[in-house]
Amino acid sequence: MATPSGKTMIPNPQASKRALSREASSEVPSKRKNSNPTSTLPRPSGPFVEGSIVRIAMENFLTYDICEVSPGPHLNMIIGANGTGKSSIVCAICLGLAGKPAFMGRADKVGFFVKRGCSKGVVEIELFRTSGNLIITREIDVIKNQSFWFINKKPVSQKTVEEQVAALNIQVGNLCQFLPQDKVGEFAKLSKIELLEATEKSIGPPEMHRYHCELKNFREKEKQLETSCKEKSEYLEKMVQRNERYKQDVERFYERKRHLDLIEMLEAKRPWVEYENVRQEYEGVKLVRDQVKEEVRKLKEGQIPMTRRIEEIERQRRTLETRIKEKATDIKETSQKCKQRQDLIERKDRHIKELQQALTVKQNEEHDRQKRISNTRKMIEDLQNELRTVENCENLQPQIDAITSDLRRVQEEKAVCEGEIIDKQREKEMLEKQKRSVGDHIIRFDNLMNQKEDKLRQRYRDTYDAVLWLRNNRDRFKQRVCEPIMLTINMKDNKNAKYIENHISSNDLRAFVFESQEDMEIFLREVRDNKKLRVNAVIAPKISYADKAPSRSLNELKQYGFFSYLRELFDAPDPVMSYLCCQYHIHEVPVGTERTRERIERVIQETRLKQIYTAEEKYVLKTSFYSNKVISSNTSLKVAQFLTVTVDLEQRRHLEEQLKEINRKLEAVESGLVTLRDTNKHLELKDNELRLKKKELLERKTKKRQLEQKISSKLGSIRLMEQDTCNLEEEERKANTKIKEINVQKAKLVTELTGLVKICTSLHIQKVDLILQNTTVISEKNKLEADYMASSSQLRVIEQQFIILDENRQILLQKCKELMKRARQVCNLSADQAVPQEFQTAFQDLPNTLDEIDALLTEERSRASCFTGLNPTVVEEYSRREIEIQQLTEELKRKKVELDEYRENISQVKERWLNPLKELVEKINEKFSNFFSSMQCAGEVDLHTENEEDYDKYGIRIRVKFRSSTQLHELTPHHQSGGERSVSTMLYLMALQELNRCPFRVVDEINQGMDPINERRVFEMVVNTACKENTSQYFFITPKLLQNLPYSEKMTVLFVYNGPHMLEPNRWNLKAFQRRRRRITFTQPSQ
């Protein structure tokens, strides 16, 4: 037996419940006693046509547990003994592609195709498509006898599957394409008409069979129309002749009737015209009134949300005011407590000071007493010496006068110096007061900065801890390191904070800004790696972007309502500003107002900006790469959270410089005071010295008696001072004990005061926040109330207008009703009855004004009185026949037009159908004749019909001759033998193969009735025809083949093995079998 280039062993079914896959399952052993092995040879290479079968998978289907077949793109020869499951593959193809079970000739219910003993079976077909293969899965439920369909694993309906299959021109019900084993004999039983229809569907263009069906329908309609036209023409001619005899009398009767009818219509229309005039006026008033009413409704609806908002804001305001009052009360109480503590502390300080002063006084008094005693004794000694050495007092007056003059000059200089000291002291006090004021301002700025840091600590605790670490370790960095951006940014106006927070991401707002990569790595290593803090860090550009000018001047954008770029809304250190300009382009993003929002379309089209801000929205603009159109998206701005606290860093720096200047001035004043005090001290010493000299000279002038009196007085003073003694150590111990007790009480009061101050500060901050919120709410409420008052004023004006219009409408409506009632009475119509169509039609041709109607009524009454002596019965008969004639004429005209259209359609469709059909049959005949000639037989195919106009009688006639001594005979179920019919059928199908537009063809065991000679010839033709390039896929199923048949490299041979001793699928190894075969072949010569 010849060996083809590609062979595939069809795998035996496996009793596995897993989903089907491209690889046959080898994990679960077969539950069947006679199992088939699984082996796959490489698939022949070659292109699949659209709709070809790539894979067939079966589970619990007929003889199979699990089986997967991978056919080739050309001829597929499926070989196996009877009963092994060859025809089961054919059934799987048919049922898997939505074929009917009855077509297989095995069973009429799909449940019978499931393997016995199983409740469910599955068939899966994979079809080739250039856009992606189509996988159709059919699950069969035996109990319900139902099928569930899937396309590419997605559930679908059977109709969807049929549409997908039909789109690929697959017809499993067409014997010219799909010929199962049990239908081989029926092919010869096909009538000529049925064979033509099957051939058209199989290989003809998609429209060929449709044209044929249209021709049959058109021909049937044509016959019916011809008969109908003939009958109606004869009857119409009789009716016309009969009516001509009464035509003149009828015309006079109708002339009079026309006048009377016109009079009646005029009398009927006159009240309607009156009514219509008033109704139009009513409709005009009603339309204006409805417009005003709609305007009132819109205004009222517009006030509802405004009222609700005002009420909501009022509730919010009352809540805020209550909270503000509560905070004020708390602050007042806390302040009073602070004042009480301060008063107590001050009293304690005064008490301590009094004790210290009392002790100092006693110490001074004792010191002075001792000093006075010493001085007195010295003075007594001096007086005694002076008394002993008293000299002559003559010539002392000039010296006293000189000393007095010097003393006066020194005292004047001393007065001037003391005045300068007082001025310096006042200047010092003023500078110290200024220093305290500036220090308080700086503390308030620091408190605002603390608020920002508190927000950072509450929201991002890791970032806050990193800030504290940075402040303690700044010396570890080489270049400048900026704290998180939210701390370094200082808004110039709080209300603009929302633009910055919406523009800069929250990750960057809490990011540290570095100028050096090395510094950032040190920071991240310490903070992230060592301290495990989650922080963000960025590097400022090497080239500063902080002062980079925007691409467009702000003056150009002010016409659109823009008032600033984002960069001008805040202050920040140079690295931070440079980073934000580089990363977020804040120098290029303008900020607008509500005016910008109102003309946003113009802004987008004219400015071509990438990002813009209006009062409450952010717009991001992009230009389409393909259409060059501007695409915009807008989002509402979120409320600012972090940047609402503003710290004027420039003012703080100014205050620090002012503080330094004050300190410098204080140092200069202090230095001047020291110099003046030294000068004053020197003058005081000189004054004392002169006084002493003057005193000495004056005393030298006294007499001895004065000295003795003084000595006696001083001795008395010494006795008195020695008697007044004091124990200083005891007094000092008592004073220290009392001061210690007071200090303990004072420390406790200071602790309480500190806590109260902190509470008071927190309450003040909360109160300020509440006041700001209340101010915002009041502002919004005032605006809404103003809008509401304006809207209410407008509403009152429109409501008054509505009342006037409604009154006019009511008056006109009543008048319309009266006129309508009179008009209906004239026309004999009830209140609910509509105006008949004949009245409406007649009214259209009559005058539309009252004057014209009255004039025409007078004229028509005069004309109607001229006609007498007419018979109405003759007129009725004439009219009836006239109507019938007219109807017949119109109907006959329509029938003839319809008949002409059908004939035209038949001519056109016939030309499109018959010519291609003849060419197609001629091609089939040529190939069919060539096949028979190659077998030394004769055969032909022709298009047969008895009448060219009977399109339903057209058919394909096959005539064959297998012996030279006989004539060509038509292929019938009775004239030829079974083998001759099989050969004829096979050759006809082969003739269709190269013309076929279907993706594949299936022929099951058609060679069973052939003799060996014909079977060999037919096989050669099948191989040669099916293995050509650009031919459709071919499935040829047979239980046996002759020896030494020719094969093609493009064939795929599929063997179906079956038996109780077959290997398990997981043990089937084709390569191992081939190696074993080669070893046996090599060892045979040595034997």
Side-chain angles (χ1 to χ4, degrees):
M1 180 176 179
T3 302
S5 62
K7 298 183 180 179
T8 301
M9 312 303 291
I10 294 181
N12 174 52
Q14 299 228 349
S16 171
K17 295 183 180 180
R18 298 186 305 155
L20 294 174
S21 62
R22 290 300 305 263
E23 294 80 24
S25 173
S26 61
E27 297 181 5
V28 182
S30 173
K31 294 184 179 178
R32 300 179 56 200
K33 292 183 178 179
N34 52 338
S35 61
N36 296 348
T38 302
S39 177
T40 305
L41 285 175
R43 184 187 301 168
S45 61
F48 286 89
V49 300
E50 191 84 0
S52 298
I53 297 175
V54 177
R55 180 173 61 88
I56 307 166
M58 298 163 283
E59 180 180 352
N60 299 332
F61 187 79
L62 291 175
T63 61
Y64 294 104
D65 292 331
I66 289 181
C67 178
E68 184 173 300
V69 181
S70 298
H74 298 290
L75 176 60
N76 292 275
M77 192 74 66
I78 302 177
I79 304 172
N82 289 329
T84 56
K86 303 184 304 299
S87 296
S88 298
I89 299 174
V90 178
C91 294
I93 295 174
C94 178
L95 297 180
L97 296 176
K100 305 297 181 184
F103 179 73
M104 304 302 302
R106 290 194 173 195
D108 57 349
K109 293 184 178 180
V110 70
F112 292 152
F113 287 87
V114 178
K115 185 179 178 181
R116 184 172 298 174
C118 297
S119 61
K120 184 178 74 170
V122 179
V123 177
E124 187 171 276
I125 308 293
E126 183 176 353
L127 302 175
F128 175 78
R129 284 195 314 188
T130 54
S131 60
N133 289 0
L134 182 71
I135 301 175
I136 301 175
T137 306
R138 183 175 191 173
E139 292 185 1
I140 304 170
D141 191 327
V142 177
I143 298 175
K144 297 180 180 180
N145 193 38
Q146 291 181 346
S147 296
F148 301 97
W149 295 91
F150 302 86
I151 291 182
N152 294 334
K153 308 302 181 183
K154 296 181 180 179
V156 295
S157 62
Q158 182 174 349
K159 183 179 180 182
T160 303
V161 176
E162 292 173 350
E163 291 173 354
Q164 292 282 355
V165 170
L168 296 171
N169 198 36
I170 298 174
Q171 307 168 23
V172 293
N174 190 341
L175 294 178
C176 289
Q177 178 178 345
F178 197 89
L179 191 61
Q181 179 180 352
D182 298 325
K183 295 287 184 177
V184 173
E186 293 187 10
F187 186 87
K189 296 179 183 179
L190 293 175
S191 65
K192 294 186 288 291
I193 298 172
E194 293 172 337
L195 184 59
L196 172 61
E197 183 177 353
T199 303
E200 285 177 337
K201 293 179 180 179
S202 178
I203 65 171
E207 66 274 5
M208 179 174 285
H209 181 257
R210 177 166 56 82
Y211 288 155
H212 191 185
C213 294
E214 288 178 1
L215 280 173
K216 290 188 283 187
N217 294 333
F218 287 159
R219 178 55 184 162
E220 186 64 26
K221 289 286 186 180
E222 183 186 20
K223 291 179 181 178
Q224 295 175 2
L225 288 171
E226 287 175 347
T227 303
S228 177
C229 287
K230 183 178 179 182
E231 294 174 353
K232 291 185 182 298
S233 296
E234 294 173 354
Y235 182 68
L236 178 61
E237 187 177 355
K238 293 179 182 179
M239 296 289 291
V240 171
Q241 292 175 357
R242 186 179 300 174
N243 246 23
E244 284 294 327
R245 294 193 294 267
Y246 302 102
K247 186 174 182 180
Q248 186 176 359
D249 290 341
V250 171
E251 287 177 352
R252 294 182 69 249
F253 177 84
Y254 276 114
E255 181 69 20
R256 180 176 179 275
K257 188 174 184 306
R258 279 196 298 274
H259 291 298
L260 296 176
D261 291 343
L262 181 58
I263 292 170
E264 184 179 356
M265 285 296 108
L266 288 169
E267 291 175 346
K269 183 176 181 180
R270 193 177 190 284
W272 288 104
V273 171
E274 292 183 73
Y275 163 77
E276 182 64 23
N277 292 338
V278 178
R279 188 194 65 80
Q280 289 179 357
E281 184 179 358
Y282 165 78
E283 289 294 335
V285 173
K286 182 176 179 293
L287 178 61
V288 176
R289 174 251 191 193
D290 291 342
Q291 292 174 350
V292 174
K293 183 179 180 181
E294 177 65 19
E295 190 173 353
V296 170
R297 184 188 65 78
K298 289 181 178 179
L299 286 172
K300 288 183 177 180
E301 289 180 355
Q303 285 184 336
I304 291 173
M306 200 179 301
T307 305
R308 291 176 181 171
R309 181 59 183 163
I310 290 172
E311 293 173 355
E312 180 183 350
I313 290 174
E314 179 61 24
R315 288 194 298 272
Q316 188 176 357
R317 185 190 64 79
R318 287 197 295 268
T319 302
L320 288 172
E321 286 183 351
T322 302
R323 293 178 62 190
I324 289 169
K325 290 179 181 179
E326 292 174 355
K327 295 297 178 185
T329 303
D330 294 342
I331 290 169
K332 185 176 180 181
E333 293 175 355
T334 307
S335 299
Q336 288 177 352
K337 292 179 181 179
C338 289
K339 184 67 170 61
Q340 292 172 0
R341 298 303 187 277
Q342 285 177 342
D343 292 342
L344 290 173
I345 291 171
E346 288 177 359
R347 285 200 294 272
K348 297 298 180 183
D349 288 338
R350 286 197 299 272
H351 193 184
I352 291 172
K353 191 173 182 180
E354 289 172 357
L355 290 172
Q356 290 175 344
Q357 286 176 353
L359 179 60
T360 302
V361 168
K362 290 180 179 180
Q363 290 174 344
N364 290 336
E365 287 177 353
E366 179 62 23
H367 183 267
D368 289 343
R369 188 181 67 82
Q370 295 295 334
K371 186 177 181 181
R372 286 198 303 274
I373 291 172
S374 176
N375 290 335
T376 303
R377 287 174 177 171
K378 186 177 180 181
M379 290 173 64
I380 291 171
E381 184 179 355
D382 291 337
L383 289 172
Q384 290 174 350
N385 292 331
E386 184 179 356
L387 181 62
R388 287 191 298 266
T389 60
V390 63
E391 295 179 353
N392 192 3
C393 298
E394 296 178 359
N395 301 322
L396 292 178
Q397 189 60 41
Q399 295 181 19
I400 293 173
D401 294 338
I403 291 173
T404 301
S405 176
D406 291 340
L407 182 60
R408 189 181 295 110
R409 181 179 54 77
V410 169
Q411 286 178 347
E412 289 176 356
E413 291 179 1
K414 182 180 177 184
V416 172
C417 184
E418 288 177 350
E420 292 180 358
I421 290 173
I422 292 172
D423 292 340
K424 290 290 184 181
Q425 287 177 342
R426 288 176 180 172
E427 184 179 358
K428 179 181 178 182
E429 290 174 358
M430 183 180 65
L431 289 173
E432 287 177 344
K433 186 177 180 180
Q434 291 178 1
K435 180 178 180 181
R436 286 195 298 271
S437 177
V438 172
D440 292 341
H441 277 80
I442 293 174
I443 290 171
R444 284 198 290 274
F445 278 116
D446 292 339
N447 290 336
L448 291 175
M449 182 59 73
N450 291 336
Q451 291 181 29
K452 297 177 74 173
E453 293 177 1
D454 287 341
K455 289 187 178 181
L456 178 65
R457 177 176 55 80
Q458 293 170 8
R459 186 69 180 272
Y460 305 109
R461 185 53 187 261
D462 285 1
T463 305
Y464 177 76
D465 293 342
V467 170
L468 299 181
W469 182 90
L470 175 63
R471 290 174 180 174
N472 296 326
N473 296 273
R474 285 192 180 274
D475 55 342
R476 300 181 59 179
F477 302 102
K478 296 179 180 179
Q479 296 188 26
R480 186 175 183 182
V481 179
C482 295
E483 293 182 358
I485 293 176
M486 67 171 63
L487 296 182
T488 57
I489 281 181
N490 183 51
M491 298 301 304
K492 297 178 180 178
D493 191 340
N494 290 346
K495 67 181 181 181
N496 295 327
K498 59 185 178 182
Y499 301 118
I500 306 303
E501 289 195 22
N502 279 273
H503 191 73
I504 303 173
S505 68
S506 60
N507 286 336
D508 276 356
L509 277 176
R510 57 192 177 94
F512 294 80
V513 181
F514 293 82
E515 292 185 335
S516 166
Q517 179 72 28
E518 182 181 354
D519 288 346
M520 187 175 76
E521 291 175 357
I522 294 172
F523 175 79
L524 294 178
R525 183 168 59 251
E526 289 292 336
V527 175
R528 281 188 183 172
D529 300 341
N530 298 340
K531 294 185 174 295
K532 307 300 182 184
L533 298 178
R534 293 174 295 178
V535 296
N536 296 334
V538 297
I539 297 181
K542 293 183 178 179
I543 301 174
S544 178
Y545 286 76
D547 298 324
K548 187 175 181 181
S551 57
R552 300 184 64 172
S553 172
L554 185 61
N555 292 330
E556 298 178 17
L557 303 178
K558 284 185 178 179
Q559 59 176 320
Y560 304 108
F562 293 108
F563 63 89
S564 175
Y565 284 105
L566 285 178
R567 182 176 63 183
E568 278 66 43
L569 298 180
F570 63 92
D571 294 322
D574 187 76
V576 174
M577 188 68 77
S578 177
Y579 172 77
L580 294 179
C581 288
C582 177
Q583 187 69 22
Y584 291 95
H585 306 287
I586 57 175
H587 62 293
E588 295 283 1
V589 180
V591 182
T593 59
E594 191 61 33
R595 178 184 170 196
T596 309
R597 174 66 184 85
E598 293 171 357
R599 52 183 69 182
I600 190 65
E601 294 294 336
R602 179 184 167 195
V603 173
I604 291 173
Q605 296 298 328
E606 294 181 4
T607 63
R608 294 284 179 169
L609 294 168
K610 295 182 179 179
Q611 294 186 69
I612 59 176
Y613 284 89
T614 63
E616 297 296 336
E617 292 179 328
K618 174 183 179 181
Y619 286 80
V620 179
L621 312 177
K622 296 181 180 178
T623 303
S624 173
F625 181 77
Y626 300 99
S627 63
N628 203 29
K629 292 182 178 179
V630 177
I631 303 170
S632 66
S633 62
N634 64 311
T635 55
S636 298
L637 298 181
K638 299 178 182 177
V639 178
Q641 298 178 0
F642 300 107
L643 303 180
T644 54
V645 178
T646 301
V647 180
D648 193 341
L649 297 179
E650 185 63 30
Q651 186 177 356
R652 190 182 187 283
R653 285 194 294 271
H654 177 70
L655 290 172
E656 288 178 348
E657 292 174 359
Q658 188 176 349
L659 184 62
K660 290 178 181 178
E661 181 64 21
I662 291 171
N663 288 331
R664 186 187 61 76
K665 290 181 179 180
L666 275 173
E667 290 177 358
V669 170
E670 191 66 34
S671 176
L673 275 174
V674 171
T675 303
L676 289 172
R677 285 193 182 113
D678 291 341
T679 304
N680 188 49
K681 188 176 181 181
H682 175 72
L683 291 172
E684 188 174 358
L685 291 174
K686 192 172 182 180
D687 179 71
N688 292 334
E689 183 180 351
L690 290 173
R691 285 178 182 275
L692 290 174
K693 286 181 179 181
K694 182 179 179 181
K695 183 178 180 181
E696 182 180 356
L697 291 172
L698 289 173
E699 287 176 353
R700 288 174 64 183
K701 291 177 67 175
T702 62
K703 297 178 180 181
K704 180 179 179 182
R705 183 179 53 82
Q706 291 176 346
L707 290 173
E708 290 176 351
Q709 289 177 355
K710 286 183 180 180
I711 291 170
S712 176
S713 175
K714 296 298 180 185
L715 289 173
S717 298
I718 289 174
R719 286 192 296 268
L720 290 175
M721 286 188 288
E722 287 177 348
Q723 290 175 1
D724 190 13
T725 59
C726 178
N727 190 351
L728 290 176
E729 293 181 359
E730 181 64 24
E731 293 295 333
E732 186 175 353
R733 184 184 63 77
K734 291 179 180 180
N736 289 336
T737 302
K738 291 181 180 181
I739 290 172
K740 186 175 182 182
E741 293 175 355
I742 294 171
N743 281 332
V744 171
Q745 298 173 3
K746 182 182 174 183
K748 183 178 180 182
L749 290 172
V750 169
T751 303
E752 294 177 358
L753 178 62
T754 303
L756 291 172
V757 169
K758 290 182 178 178
I759 294 172
C760 189
T761 303
S762 176
L763 290 173
H764 273 292
I765 293 171
Q766 295 175 13
K767 181 183 176 183
V768 170
D769 289 340
L770 291 173
I771 291 172
L772 291 175
Q773 294 178 23
N774 190 37
T775 303
T776 304
V777 168
I778 291 172
S779 176
E780 185 177 358
K781 180 188 173 185
N782 292 337
K783 183 178 181 303
L784 287 172
E785 287 177 346
D787 294 343
Y788 181 81
M789 292 299 295
S791 176
S792 299
S793 176
Q794 184 182 3
L795 178 61
R796 284 194 296 273
V797 173
I798 296 175
E799 284 179 341
Q800 185 63 33
Q801 184 181 357
F802 170 76
I803 292 170
I804 296 171
L805 289 171
D806 193 58
E807 290 175 355
N808 293 338
R809 183 190 67 83
Q810 293 290 346
I811 295 171
L812 291 173
L813 178 62
Q814 185 62 32
K815 190 174 181 180
C816 283
K817 290 180 179 179
E818 294 174 357
L819 291 173
M820 171 65 77
K821 184 177 180 181
R822 191 173 71 182
R824 288 185 176 276
Q825 288 175 353
V826 172
C827 296
N828 297 322
L829 298 175
S830 62
D832 299 331
Q833 186 177 359
V835 179
Q837 184 63 38
E838 58 268 18
F839 277 98
Q840 298 179 19
T841 305
F843 287 169
Q844 291 177 357
D845 299 328
L846 298 178
N848 294 321
T849 65
L850 292 176
D851 294 339
E852 292 176 348
I853 289 174
D854 292 339
L856 189 58
L857 270 173
T858 303
E859 181 181 352
E860 290 301 320
R861 284 170 182 157
S862 300
R863 291 180 179 179
S865 62
C866 300
F867 294 92
T868 57
L870 299 176
N871 187 358
T873 305
V874 175
V875 176
E876 291 176 0
E877 292 179 358
Y878 178 87
S879 299
R880 179 178 54 78
R881 284 193 296 269
E882 191 68 25
I883 292 172
E884 192 172 355
I885 289 170
Q886 184 178 359
Q887 292 176 348
L888 283 173
T889 303
E890 292 176 355
E891 186 176 357
L892 183 61
K893 184 178 179 181
R894 288 197 304 271
K895 295 287 184 182
K896 287 181 179 180
V897 171
E898 189 176 356
L899 180 61
D900 292 340
E901 290 177 353
Y902 271 105
R903 286 173 178 170
E904 181 65 25
N905 291 338
I906 289 172
S907 175
Q908 294 175 0
V909 176
K910 179 180 179 182
E911 183 178 354
R912 292 195 294 266
W913 171 72
L914 189 58
N915 294 337
L917 179 62
K918 287 180 179 179
E919 294 176 1
L920 182 64
V921 173
E922 185 62 32
K923 292 178 182 178
I924 296 172
N925 178 53
E926 180 183 352
K927 295 186 179 298
F928 187 78
S929 299
N930 292 337
F931 288 149
F932 264 87
S933 298
S934 64
M935 296 176 62
Q936 287 78 44
C937 300
E940 67 177 26
V941 177
D942 61 0
L943 186 63
H944 177 75
T945 183
E946 297 177 357
N947 182 4
E948 188 175 354
E949 300 299 325
D950 292 336
Y951 304 107
D952 55 344
K953 304 298 183 184
Y954 274 80
I956 288 182
R957 181 174 60 181
I958 300 176
R959 296 192 298 169
V960 295
K961 181 177 74 171
F962 288 92
R963 288 166 290 279
S964 59
S965 59
T966 61
Q967 298 294 325
L968 287 168
H969 289 283
E970 186 175 347
L971 180 65
T972 64
H974 311 292
H975 192 278
Q976 288 81 14
S977 65
E980 290 173 345
R981 290 198 301 273
S982 296
V983 171
S984 302
T985 300
M986 193 65 188
L987 294 182
Y988 184 78
L989 295 179
M990 295 307 302
L992 301 181
Q993 176 69 14
E994 293 185 5
L995 303 174
N996 196 8
R997 64 183 181 86
C998 64
F1000 65 86
R1001 189 185 310 283
V1002 178
V1003 179
D1004 189 5
E1005 298 192 13
I1006 198 170
N1007 59 338
Q1008 294 304 297
M1010 300 182 188
D1011 58 72
I1013 296 175
N1014 286 335
E1015 182 178 354
R1016 184 177 298 278
R1017 291 173 178 173
V1018 169
F1019 185 84
E1020 291 177 358
M1021 294 179 189
V1022 169
V1023 172
N1024 293 333
T1025 303
C1027 292
K1028 290 181 179 180
E1029 292 292 338
N1030 300 323
T1031 58
S1032 59
Q1033 197 177 34
Y1034 204 101
F1035 290 89
F1036 189 87
I1037 294 92
T1038 179
K1040 51 86 179 180
L1041 287 174
L1042 300 174
Q1043 294 183 353
N1044 300 321
L1045 291 174
Y1047 292 89
S1048 170
E1049 293 291 330
K1050 296 182 179 179
M1051 287 178 60
T1052 299
V1053 180
L1054 307 171
F1055 293 96
V1056 182
Y1057 287 108
N1058 199 336
H1061 304 296
M1062 301 305 297
L1063 288 175
E1064 293 289 338
N1066 56 354
R1067 298 173 57 192
W1068 183 265
N1069 190 335
L1070 183 61
K1071 293 182 179 180
F1073 296 154
Q1074 291 173 336
R1075 288 195 299 270
R1076 192 179 307 152
R1077 175 63 180 172
R1078 285 195 292 271
R1079 287 198 299 271
I1080 294 173
T1081 303
F1082 293 153
T1083 57
Q1084 281 179 352
S1086 63
Q1087 294 176 355

